[in-house]
PDB file of all heavy atoms in Angstrom:
ATOM      1  N   GLU A  65      -7.818  46.238 -12.602  1.00 91.00           N
ATOM      2  CA  GLU A  65      -8.047  45.720 -13.956  1.00 91.00           C
ATOM      3  C   GLU A  65      -9.240  44.750 -13.979  1.00 91.00           C
ATOM      4  O   GLU A  65     -10.055  44.758 -14.903  1.00 91.00           O
ATOM      5  CB  GLU A  65      -6.783  45.011 -14.458  1.00 91.00           C
ATOM      6  CG  GLU A  65      -6.868  44.472 -15.884  1.00 91.00           C
ATOM      7  CD  GLU A  65      -7.120  45.556 -16.905  1.00 91.00           C
ATOM      8  OE1 GLU A  65      -6.730  46.718 -16.661  1.00 91.00           O
ATOM      9  OE2 GLU A  65      -7.740  45.235 -17.964  1.00 91.00           O
ATOM     10  N   CYS A  66      -9.348  43.940 -12.903  1.00 90.00           N
ATOM     11  CA  CYS A  66     -10.480  42.994 -12.815  1.00 90.00           C
ATOM     12  C   CYS A  66     -11.801  43.750 -12.717  1.00 90.00           C
ATOM     13  O   CYS A  66     -12.796  43.386 -13.372  1.00 90.00           O
ATOM     14  CB  CYS A  66     -10.317  42.067 -11.611  1.00 90.00           C
ATOM     15  SG  CYS A  66      -9.015  40.824 -11.840  1.00 90.00           S
ATOM     16  N   LYS A  67     -11.809  44.835 -11.873  1.00 91.00           N
ATOM     17  CA  LYS A  67     -13.038  45.627 -11.730  1.00 91.00           C
ATOM     18  C   LYS A  67     -13.401  46.321 -13.039  1.00 91.00           C
ATOM     19  O   LYS A  67     -14.576  46.521 -13.352  1.00 91.00           O
ATOM     20  CB  LYS A  67     -12.857  46.648 -10.621  1.00 91.00           C
ATOM     21  CG  LYS A  67     -12.913  46.056  -9.223  1.00 91.00           C
ATOM     22  CD  LYS A  67     -12.828  47.166  -8.164  1.00 91.00           C
ATOM     23  CE  LYS A  67     -13.009  46.598  -6.766  1.00 91.00           C
ATOM     24  NZ  LYS A  67     -12.965  47.673  -5.730  1.00 91.00           N
ATOM     25  N   LYS A  68     -12.349  46.693 -13.796  1.00 92.00           N
ATOM     26  CA  LYS A  68     -12.579  47.363 -15.069  1.00 92.00           C
ATOM     27  C   LYS A  68     -13.216  46.399 -16.085  1.00 92.00           C
ATOM     28  O   LYS A  68     -14.073  46.799 -16.890  1.00 92.00           O
ATOM     29  CB  LYS A  68     -11.241  47.875 -15.584  1.00 92.00           C
ATOM     30  CG  LYS A  68     -11.349  48.650 -16.888  1.00 92.00           C
ATOM     31  CD  LYS A  68      -9.974  49.141 -17.305  1.00 92.00           C
ATOM     32  CE  LYS A  68     -10.050  49.890 -18.644  1.00 92.00           C
ATOM     33  NZ  LYS A  68      -8.726  50.362 -19.082  1.00 92.00           N
ATOM     34  N   ARG A  69     -12.789  45.128 -16.056  1.00 90.00           N
ATOM     35  CA  ARG A  69     -13.311  44.142 -16.999  1.00 90.00           C
ATOM     36  C   ARG A  69     -14.675  43.570 -16.592  1.00 90.00           C
ATOM     37  O   ARG A  69     -15.418  43.057 -17.437  1.00 90.00           O
ATOM     38  CB  ARG A  69     -12.330  42.970 -17.136  1.00 90.00           C
ATOM     39  CG  ARG A  69     -10.984  43.362 -17.720  1.00 90.00           C
ATOM     40  CD  ARG A  69     -10.086  42.148 -17.791  1.00 90.00           C
ATOM     41  NE  ARG A  69      -8.743  42.471 -18.237  1.00 90.00           N
ATOM     42  CZ  ARG A  69      -7.758  41.588 -18.353  1.00 90.00           C
ATOM     43  NH1 ARG A  69      -8.001  40.308 -18.076  1.00 90.00           N
ATOM     44  NH2 ARG A  69      -6.547  41.963 -18.743  1.00 90.00           N
ATOM     45  N   LEU A  70     -15.012  43.620 -15.299  1.00 89.00           N
ATOM     46  CA  LEU A  70     -16.235  42.993 -14.776  1.00 89.00           C
ATOM     47  C   LEU A  70     -17.510  43.522 -15.415  1.00 89.00           C
ATOM     48  O   LEU A  70     -18.382  42.725 -15.797  1.00 89.00           O
ATOM     49  CB  LEU A  70     -16.276  43.145 -13.249  1.00 89.00           C
ATOM     50  CG  LEU A  70     -17.421  42.406 -12.539  1.00 89.00           C
ATOM     51  CD1 LEU A  70     -17.373  40.910 -12.854  1.00 89.00           C
ATOM     52  CD2 LEU A  70     -17.317  42.622 -11.024  1.00 89.00           C
ATOM     53  N   PRO A  71     -17.694  44.867 -15.584  1.00 91.00           N
ATOM     54  CA  PRO A  71     -18.933  45.352 -16.205  1.00 91.00           C
ATOM     55  C   PRO A  71     -19.151  44.792 -17.608  1.00 91.00           C
ATOM     56  O   PRO A  71     -20.283  44.462 -17.984  1.00 91.00           O
ATOM     57  CB  PRO A  71     -18.730  46.868 -16.235  1.00 91.00           C
ATOM     58  CG  PRO A  71     -17.791  47.137 -15.109  1.00 91.00           C
ATOM     59  CD  PRO A  71     -16.848  45.983 -15.097  1.00 91.00           C
ATOM     60  N   GLY A  72     -18.085  44.688 -18.369  1.00 90.00           N
ATOM     61  CA  GLY A  72     -18.222  44.140 -19.717  1.00 90.00           C
ATOM     62  C   GLY A  72     -18.675  42.675 -19.681  1.00 90.00           C
ATOM     63  O   GLY A  72     -19.503  42.241 -20.492  1.00 90.00           O
ATOM     64  N   ALA A  73     -18.106  41.949 -18.736  1.00 87.00           N
ATOM     65  CA  ALA A  73     -18.493  40.540 -18.594  1.00 87.00           C
ATOM     66  C   ALA A  73     -19.944  40.429 -18.158  1.00 87.00           C
ATOM     67  O   ALA A  73     -20.701  39.567 -18.637  1.00 87.00           O
ATOM     68  CB  ALA A  73     -17.582  39.858 -17.578  1.00 87.00           C
ATOM     69  N   ARG A  74     -20.347  41.355 -17.237  1.00 87.00           N
ATOM     70  CA  ARG A  74     -21.750  41.325 -16.791  1.00 87.00           C
ATOM     71  C   ARG A  74     -22.708  41.646 -17.934  1.00 87.00           C
ATOM     72  O   ARG A  74     -23.763  41.039 -18.072  1.00 87.00           O
ATOM     73  CB  ARG A  74     -21.936  42.319 -15.659  1.00 87.00           C
ATOM     74  CG  ARG A  74     -21.423  41.807 -14.317  1.00 87.00           C
ATOM     75  CD  ARG A  74     -21.519  42.863 -13.268  1.00 87.00           C
ATOM     76  NE  ARG A  74     -21.182  42.329 -11.950  1.00 87.00           N
ATOM     77  CZ  ARG A  74     -20.853  43.071 -10.906  1.00 87.00           C
ATOM     78  NH1 ARG A  74     -20.783  44.413 -11.032  1.00 87.00           N
ATOM     79  NH2 ARG A  74     -20.579  42.509  -9.754  1.00 87.00           N
ATOM     80  N   GLU A  75     -22.333  42.621 -18.751  1.00 88.00           N
ATOM     81  CA  GLU A  75     -23.184  42.986 -19.886  1.00 88.00           C
ATOM     82  C   GLU A  75     -23.306  41.812 -20.866  1.00 88.00           C
ATOM     83  O   GLU A  75     -24.389  41.547 -21.406  1.00 88.00           O
ATOM     84  CB  GLU A  75     -22.600  44.207 -20.597  1.00 88.00           C
ATOM     85  CG  GLU A  75     -23.358  44.624 -21.851  1.00 88.00           C
ATOM     86  CD  GLU A  75     -24.808  44.943 -21.593  1.00 88.00           C
ATOM     87  OE1 GLU A  75     -25.145  45.337 -20.454  1.00 88.00           O
ATOM     88  OE2 GLU A  75     -25.628  44.791 -22.516  1.00 88.00           O
ATOM     89  N   GLU A  76     -22.187  41.156 -21.061  1.00 87.00           N
ATOM     90  CA  GLU A  76     -22.197  39.981 -21.954  1.00 87.00           C
ATOM     91  C   GLU A  76     -23.117  38.897 -21.403  1.00 87.00           C
ATOM     92  O   GLU A  76     -23.871  38.253 -22.138  1.00 87.00           O
ATOM     93  CB  GLU A  76     -20.771  39.452 -22.108  1.00 87.00           C
ATOM     94  CG  GLU A  76     -20.636  38.362 -23.156  1.00 87.00           C
ATOM     95  CD  GLU A  76     -19.202  37.867 -23.292  1.00 87.00           C
ATOM     96  OE1 GLU A  76     -18.292  38.503 -22.697  1.00 87.00           O
ATOM     97  OE2 GLU A  76     -19.002  36.831 -23.976  1.00 87.00           O
ATOM     98  N   TYR A  77     -23.054  38.723 -20.080  1.00 87.00           N
ATOM     99  CA  TYR A  77     -23.895  37.726 -19.413  1.00 87.00           C
ATOM    100  C   TYR A  77     -25.372  38.091 -19.535  1.00 87.00           C
ATOM    101  O   TYR A  77     -26.217  37.265 -19.877  1.00 87.00           O
ATOM    102  CB  TYR A  77     -23.473  37.607 -17.947  1.00 87.00           C
ATOM    103  CG  TYR A  77     -24.317  36.657 -17.125  1.00 87.00           C
ATOM    104  CD1 TYR A  77     -24.681  35.411 -17.626  1.00 87.00           C
ATOM    105  CD2 TYR A  77     -24.726  37.004 -15.841  1.00 87.00           C
ATOM    106  CE1 TYR A  77     -25.443  34.541 -16.872  1.00 87.00           C
ATOM    107  CE2 TYR A  77     -25.489  36.139 -15.081  1.00 87.00           C
ATOM    108  CZ  TYR A  77     -25.854  34.899 -15.600  1.00 87.00           C
ATOM    109  OH  TYR A  77     -26.614  34.049 -14.855  1.00 87.00           O
ATOM    110  N   ARG A  78     -25.694  39.400 -19.265  1.00 87.00           N
ATOM    111  CA  ARG A  78     -27.092  39.832 -19.364  1.00 87.00           C
ATOM    112  C   ARG A  78     -27.610  39.700 -20.792  1.00 87.00           C
ATOM    113  O   ARG A  78     -28.756  39.315 -21.024  1.00 87.00           O
ATOM    114  CB  ARG A  78     -27.223  41.291 -18.881  1.00 87.00           C
ATOM    115  CG  ARG A  78     -27.176  41.447 -17.370  1.00 87.00           C
ATOM    116  CD  ARG A  78     -27.642  42.836 -16.940  1.00 87.00           C
ATOM    117  NE  ARG A  78     -26.689  43.856 -17.345  1.00 87.00           N
ATOM    118  CZ  ARG A  78     -25.717  44.321 -16.563  1.00 87.00           C
ATOM    119  NH1 ARG A  78     -25.555  43.827 -15.337  1.00 87.00           N
ATOM    120  NH2 ARG A  78     -24.886  45.251 -17.002  1.00 87.00           N
ATOM    121  N   GLN A  79     -26.770  39.998 -21.756  1.00 90.00           N
ATOM    122  CA  GLN A  79     -27.173  39.903 -23.152  1.00 90.00           C
ATOM    123  C   GLN A  79     -27.478  38.442 -23.520  1.00 90.00           C
ATOM    124  O   GLN A  79     -28.430  38.165 -24.256  1.00 90.00           O
ATOM    125  CB  GLN A  79     -26.059  40.460 -24.048  1.00 90.00           C
ATOM    126  CG  GLN A  79     -26.394  40.478 -25.538  1.00 90.00           C
ATOM    127  CD  GLN A  79     -27.572  41.385 -25.872  1.00 90.00           C
ATOM    128  OE1 GLN A  79     -27.864  42.336 -25.135  1.00 90.00           O
ATOM    129  NE2 GLN A  79     -28.270  41.072 -26.965  1.00 90.00           N
ATOM    130  N   GLU A  80     -26.666  37.565 -22.984  1.00 89.00           N
ATOM    131  CA  GLU A  80     -26.901  36.145 -23.250  1.00 89.00           C
ATOM    132  C   GLU A  80     -28.247  35.707 -22.674  1.00 89.00           C
ATOM    133  O   GLU A  80     -29.018  35.003 -23.325  1.00 89.00           O
ATOM    134  CB  GLU A  80     -25.780  35.302 -22.635  1.00 89.00           C
ATOM    135  CG  GLU A  80     -25.955  33.804 -22.894  1.00 89.00           C
ATOM    136  CD  GLU A  80     -24.945  32.977 -22.129  1.00 89.00           C
ATOM    137  OE1 GLU A  80     -24.870  33.127 -20.884  1.00 89.00           O
ATOM    138  OE2 GLU A  80     -24.247  32.171 -22.766  1.00 89.00           O
ATOM    139  N   ILE A  81     -28.532  36.142 -21.426  1.00 87.00           N
ATOM    140  CA  ILE A  81     -29.812  35.793 -20.799  1.00 87.00           C
ATOM    141  C   ILE A  81     -30.981  36.352 -21.606  1.00 87.00           C
ATOM    142  O   ILE A  81     -31.987  35.685 -21.852  1.00 87.00           O
ATOM    143  CB  ILE A  81     -29.855  36.326 -19.345  1.00 87.00           C
ATOM    144  CG1 ILE A  81     -28.821  35.578 -18.485  1.00 87.00           C
ATOM    145  CG2 ILE A  81     -31.255  36.174 -18.752  1.00 87.00           C
ATOM    146  CD1 ILE A  81     -28.626  36.179 -17.119  1.00 87.00           C
ATOM    147  N   TYR A  82     -30.805  37.624 -22.019  1.00 89.00           N
ATOM    148  CA  TYR A  82     -31.855  38.307 -22.777  1.00 89.00           C
ATOM    149  C   TYR A  82     -32.137  37.561 -24.084  1.00 89.00           C
ATOM    150  O   TYR A  82     -33.299  37.327 -24.443  1.00 89.00           O
ATOM    151  CB  TYR A  82     -31.410  39.746 -23.055  1.00 89.00           C
ATOM    152  CG  TYR A  82     -32.421  40.571 -23.822  1.00 89.00           C
ATOM    153  CD1 TYR A  82     -33.479  41.178 -23.162  1.00 89.00           C
ATOM    154  CD2 TYR A  82     -32.299  40.747 -25.202  1.00 89.00           C
ATOM    155  CE1 TYR A  82     -34.407  41.957 -23.871  1.00 89.00           C
ATOM    156  CE2 TYR A  82     -33.206  41.500 -25.912  1.00 89.00           C
ATOM    157  CZ  TYR A  82     -34.266  42.119 -25.240  1.00 89.00           C
ATOM    158  OH  TYR A  82     -35.178  42.864 -25.945  1.00 89.00           O
ATOM    159  N   GLN A  83     -31.090  37.172 -24.810  1.00 91.00           N
ATOM    160  CA  GLN A  83     -31.253  36.485 -26.087  1.00 91.00           C
ATOM    161  C   GLN A  83     -31.898  35.103 -25.900  1.00 91.00           C
ATOM    162  O   GLN A  83     -32.750  34.683 -26.692  1.00 91.00           O
ATOM    163  CB  GLN A  83     -29.895  36.333 -26.789  1.00 91.00           C
ATOM    164  CG  GLN A  83     -29.280  37.638 -27.259  1.00 91.00           C
ATOM    165  CD  GLN A  83     -30.165  38.351 -28.284  1.00 91.00           C
ATOM    166  OE1 GLN A  83     -30.877  37.713 -29.054  1.00 91.00           O
ATOM    167  NE2 GLN A  83     -30.121  39.678 -28.254  1.00 91.00           N
ATOM    168  N   THR A  84     -31.506  34.422 -24.836  1.00 91.00           N
ATOM    169  CA  THR A  84     -32.122  33.117 -24.541  1.00 91.00           C
ATOM    170  C   THR A  84     -33.606  33.271 -24.274  1.00 91.00           C
ATOM    171  O   THR A  84     -34.435  32.489 -24.755  1.00 91.00           O
ATOM    172  CB  THR A  84     -31.432  32.466 -23.332  1.00 91.00           C
ATOM    173  OG1 THR A  84     -30.041  32.293 -23.614  1.00 91.00           O
ATOM    174  CG2 THR A  84     -32.037  31.102 -23.025  1.00 91.00           C
ATOM    175  N   GLY A  85     -33.972  34.310 -23.478  1.00 87.00           N
ATOM    176  CA  GLY A  85     -35.375  34.578 -23.205  1.00 87.00           C
ATOM    177  C   GLY A  85     -36.156  34.870 -24.482  1.00 87.00           C
ATOM    178  O   GLY A  85     -37.294  34.420 -24.658  1.00 87.00           O
ATOM    179  N   GLN A  86     -35.538  35.655 -25.393  1.00 90.00           N
ATOM    180  CA  GLN A  86     -36.189  35.980 -26.659  1.00 90.00           C
ATOM    181  C   GLN A  86     -36.463  34.715 -27.487  1.00 90.00           C
ATOM    182  O   GLN A  86     -37.542  34.562 -28.085  1.00 90.00           O
ATOM    183  CB  GLN A  86     -35.298  36.937 -27.465  1.00 90.00           C
ATOM    184  CG  GLN A  86     -35.256  38.356 -26.946  1.00 90.00           C
ATOM    185  CD  GLN A  86     -36.491  39.158 -27.375  1.00 90.00           C
ATOM    186  OE1 GLN A  86     -37.538  38.606 -27.626  1.00 90.00           O
ATOM    187  NE2 GLN A  86     -36.336  40.484 -27.425  1.00 90.00           N
ATOM    188  N   LYS A  87     -35.504  33.831 -27.524  1.00 92.00           N
ATOM    189  CA  LYS A  87     -35.676  32.590 -28.288  1.00 92.00           C
ATOM    190  C   LYS A  87     -36.791  31.725 -27.694  1.00 92.00           C
ATOM    191  O   LYS A  87     -37.605  31.148 -28.426  1.00 92.00           O
ATOM    192  CB  LYS A  87     -34.366  31.802 -28.314  1.00 92.00           C
ATOM    193  CG  LYS A  87     -33.284  32.448 -29.166  1.00 92.00           C
ATOM    194  CD  LYS A  87     -31.997  31.646 -29.107  1.00 92.00           C
ATOM    195  CE  LYS A  87     -30.893  32.325 -29.925  1.00 92.00           C
ATOM    196  NZ  LYS A  87     -29.606  31.564 -29.855  1.00 92.00           N
ATOM    197  N   LEU A  88     -36.808  31.659 -26.358  1.00 91.00           N
ATOM    198  CA  LEU A  88     -37.868  30.884 -25.701  1.00 91.00           C
ATOM    199  C   LEU A  88     -39.236  31.482 -25.983  1.00 91.00           C
ATOM    200  O   LEU A  88     -40.215  30.770 -26.208  1.00 91.00           O
ATOM    201  CB  LEU A  88     -37.621  30.816 -24.189  1.00 91.00           C
ATOM    202  CG  LEU A  88     -36.423  29.965 -23.743  1.00 91.00           C
ATOM    203  CD1 LEU A  88     -36.168  30.147 -22.254  1.00 91.00           C
ATOM    204  CD2 LEU A  88     -36.678  28.489 -24.054  1.00 91.00           C
ATOM    205  N   LYS A  89     -39.303  32.828 -25.970  1.00 88.00           N
ATOM    206  CA  LYS A  89     -40.563  33.529 -26.218  1.00 88.00           C
ATOM    207  C   LYS A  89     -41.071  33.256 -27.635  1.00 88.00           C
ATOM    208  O   LYS A  89     -42.253  33.008 -27.863  1.00 88.00           O
ATOM    209  CB  LYS A  89     -40.375  35.034 -26.012  1.00 88.00           C
ATOM    210  CG  LYS A  89     -41.618  35.879 -26.326  1.00 88.00           C
ATOM    211  CD  LYS A  89     -41.334  37.345 -26.169  1.00 88.00           C
ATOM    212  CE  LYS A  89     -40.556  37.912 -27.349  1.00 88.00           C
ATOM    213  NZ  LYS A  89     -41.339  37.946 -28.611  1.00 88.00           N
ATOM    214  N   GLU A  90     -40.153  33.310 -28.592  1.00 91.00           N
ATOM    215  CA  GLU A  90     -40.545  33.142 -29.992  1.00 91.00           C
ATOM    216  C   GLU A  90     -41.020  31.713 -30.297  1.00 91.00           C
ATOM    217  O   GLU A  90     -41.899  31.506 -31.138  1.00 91.00           O
ATOM    218  CB  GLU A  90     -39.356  33.487 -30.890  1.00 91.00           C
ATOM    219  CG  GLU A  90     -39.016  34.985 -30.883  1.00 91.00           C
ATOM    220  CD  GLU A  90     -37.695  35.273 -31.574  1.00 91.00           C
ATOM    221  OE1 GLU A  90     -37.096  34.303 -32.102  1.00 91.00           O
ATOM    222  OE2 GLU A  90     -37.259  36.437 -31.561  1.00 91.00           O
ATOM    223  N   LYS A  91     -40.448  30.752 -29.590  1.00 92.00           N
ATOM    224  CA  LYS A  91     -40.821  29.354 -29.845  1.00 92.00           C
ATOM    225  C   LYS A  91     -41.986  28.882 -28.983  1.00 92.00           C
ATOM    226  O   LYS A  91     -42.531  27.793 -29.217  1.00 92.00           O
ATOM    227  CB  LYS A  91     -39.622  28.449 -29.585  1.00 92.00           C
ATOM    228  CG  LYS A  91     -38.474  28.643 -30.577  1.00 92.00           C
ATOM    229  CD  LYS A  91     -37.336  27.686 -30.261  1.00 92.00           C
ATOM    230  CE  LYS A  91     -36.177  27.863 -31.242  1.00 92.00           C
ATOM    231  NZ  LYS A  91     -35.064  26.925 -30.948  1.00 92.00           N
ATOM    232  N   ALA A  92     -42.369  29.667 -27.995  1.00 90.00           N
ATOM    233  CA  ALA A  92     -43.378  29.229 -27.033  1.00 90.00           C
ATOM    234  C   ALA A  92     -44.769  29.109 -27.653  1.00 90.00           C
ATOM    235  O   ALA A  92     -45.166  29.928 -28.477  1.00 90.00           O
ATOM    236  CB  ALA A  92     -43.413  30.184 -25.849  1.00 90.00           C
ATOM    237  N   HIS A  93     -45.475  28.062 -27.248  1.00 91.00           N
ATOM    238  CA  HIS A  93     -46.872  27.852 -27.643  1.00 91.00           C
ATOM    239  C   HIS A  93     -47.718  27.456 -26.437  1.00 91.00           C
ATOM    240  O   HIS A  93     -48.857  27.886 -26.311  1.00 91.00           O
ATOM    241  CB  HIS A  93     -46.978  26.759 -28.717  1.00 91.00           C
ATOM    242  CG  HIS A  93     -46.380  27.152 -30.022  1.00 91.00           C
ATOM    243  ND1 HIS A  93     -46.973  28.057 -30.884  1.00 91.00           N
ATOM    244  CD2 HIS A  93     -45.222  26.775 -30.624  1.00 91.00           C
ATOM    245  CE1 HIS A  93     -46.222  28.211 -31.964  1.00 91.00           C
ATOM    246  NE2 HIS A  93     -45.136  27.440 -31.822  1.00 91.00           N
TER     247      HIS A  93
END
Side-chain angles (χ1 to χ4, degrees):
E65 182 60 28
C66 287
K67 285 184 175 182
K68 182 179 178 181
R69 296 179 185 178
L70 186 57
R74 282 175 173 162
E75 176 58 27
E76 188 179 350
Y77 177 44
R78 284 194 291 266
Q79 183 63 25
E80 181 188 55
I81 293 170
Y82 181 82
Q83 292 299 329
T84 301
Q86 286 280 26
K87 290 178 182 179
L88 290 172
K89 177 183 77 68
E90 290 170 3
K91 293 181 180 180
H93 292 286

